[in-house]
Amino acid sequence: MIKLNSAIPLYQQVAEDLKNRIEQGEFCSGQSIPSEAKLCEQYEVSRITIRNAIAELVEQEILVKYQGKGVFVRTPKISSSLTTFKGFTYFCQENHIKTYTKILENKVISANAVMAKKLELKDGEKLVYLKRLRHVNDRPVMIEHVYLPYSKYGFLSKIDMENCSLYEKITEKTGLQIEDNCYTSIMLETNITTEEEIVLMGLSEPDAVFVLTETVYMNTGNPLHITKQVLLGDYFKFFMSNKVNQLSMNWKKM
């Protein structure tokens, strides 16, 4: 297992072996690995060697250290584009991650001045409001608030949306292929979880979150819906493509 006379440093050998054990399923995503003392016994090496091996795997984003809690196998982050119009479910599938959705609220509300302006409605017009708790590998990681004009999508308030794709339901009822005919305007911020978000996400204390606010437009320029997502920072990362962004700008001009 560990070769003392190898040209490969001991800590790298330990790191590689730990990585193999993780890949083979001995330690699962989110699970803690053995303590430094236990690893010293297993590999018959010094504590500094174990610490260097762990540091190597933390650098590779395979492990993550939590102060006072230990070292855990890092849950792979969901890589999501800020410029390609695809939904949460799509990016989970792309990252081979199991996901499901729980509906917290599905009701009709009145649009306030801000919502009415963004959706090009009159103040007080009806909206369908969906509040959803999105899970990754049975872990709640996102709270999503979706606002749609009732005049076009009122049917959504009358059906069971539990574990349903919003866009699939709209396509089923209207024939509209949303993901192929839309672009978005996005604002991405960071914040700390509120008391309600701590409870919903099963946290023991406040944590860092991304707050992504998105207005979705049809390629005709008409607004489709507004979405606000609160996402746990440990589970998501974002990327951009200037080429795709330029295409979106071209669509808006059409």
Side-chain angles (χ1 to χ4, degrees):
M1 183 166 58
I2 300 299
K3 300 178 180 179
L4 298 178
N5 59 350
S6 172
I8 301 173
L10 286 178
Y11 81 90
Q12 289 185 357
Q13 295 183 56
V14 172
E16 186 63 26
D17 189 71
L18 277 173
K19 181 179 178 180
N20 290 335
R21 292 168 71 181
I22 292 168
E23 291 175 347
Q24 291 166 10
E26 183 176 345
F27 307 117
C28 300
S29 175
Q31 180 183 349
S32 63
I33 66 170
S35 66
E36 287 184 1
K38 188 68 175 178
L39 290 173
C40 286
E41 292 180 12
Q42 291 178 2
Y43 290 105
E44 298 182 346
V45 295
S46 68
R47 189 175 290 260
I48 190 64
T49 297
I50 295 299
R51 288 178 178 172
N52 286 339
I54 290 173
E56 176 78 8
L57 295 179
V58 169
E59 179 69 21
Q60 295 179 28
E61 297 189 346
I62 294 171
L63 297 177
V64 59
K65 296 178 70 173
Y66 292 113
Q67 189 66 33
K69 295 182 180 180
V71 182
F72 296 78
V73 179
R74 181 184 287 275
T75 299
K77 291 191 176 185
I78 300 171
S79 181
S80 181
S81 172
L82 291 174
T83 48
T84 301
F85 185 74
K86 295 291 183 181
F88 171 77
T89 302
Y90 170 86
F91 284 111
C92 285
Q93 291 172 346
E94 284 290 294
N95 289 273
H96 308 289
I97 294 173
K98 173 186 171 185
T99 179
Y100 76 93
T101 299
K102 180 179 180 181
I103 299 296
L104 302 177
E105 293 186 53
N106 183 357
K107 62 184 181 180
V108 179
I109 63 173
S110 297
N112 59 30
V114 174
M115 290 290 175
K117 182 177 180 180
K118 288 184 176 181
L119 291 172
E120 298 181 3
L121 303 172
K122 296 178 181 178
D123 288 2
E125 277 198 54
K126 291 182 179 180
L127 299 175
V128 175
Y129 169 58
L130 293 174
K131 183 177 181 181
R132 308 195 286 181
L133 188 61
R134 317 298 296 266
H135 293 69
V136 165
N137 296 331
D138 298 322
R139 174 81 170 83
V141 299
M142 180 204 297
I143 302 168
E144 185 176 57
H145 309 265
V146 186
Y147 304 85
L148 307 101
Y150 181 85
S151 59
K152 295 180 179 178
Y153 307 105
F155 60 86
L156 292 170
S157 66
K158 301 177 178 66
I159 60 179
D160 182 5
M161 293 295 295
E162 195 81 6
N163 278 322
C164 292
S165 164
L166 174 64
Y167 293 156
E168 285 181 5
K169 282 296 179 183
I170 292 176
T171 298
E172 179 184 312
K173 293 290 184 178
T174 68
L176 183 63
Q177 299 290 335
I178 294 178
E179 292 186 350
D180 297 328
N181 295 282
C182 289
Y183 64 93
T184 63
S185 173
I186 292 176
M187 179 172 65
L188 183 64
E189 305 171 277
T190 57
N191 210 337
I192 299 296
T193 45
T194 65
E195 291 184 7
E196 180 192 30
E197 291 161 358
I198 290 172
V199 173
L200 288 176
M201 293 186 180
L203 304 174
S204 59
E205 58 188 18
D207 204 346
V209 288
F210 292 112
V211 180
L212 189 151
T213 305
E214 175 182 53
T215 304
V216 178
Y217 298 89
M218 298 301 298
N219 56 17
T220 58
N222 297 320
L224 174 64
H225 70 80
I226 297 170
T227 297
K228 176 184 174 183
Q229 297 174 333
V230 180
L231 312 100
L232 281 181
D234 282 349
Y235 287 82
F236 296 88
K237 60 183 178 181
F238 300 93
F239 64 91
M240 296 182 67
S241 167
N242 288 332
K243 182 177 181 180
V244 174
N245 193 43
Q246 184 61 48
L247 287 173
S248 296
M249 292 173 66
N250 291 341
W251 286 345
K252 192 170 183 178
K253 292 175 182 178
M254 292 175 62

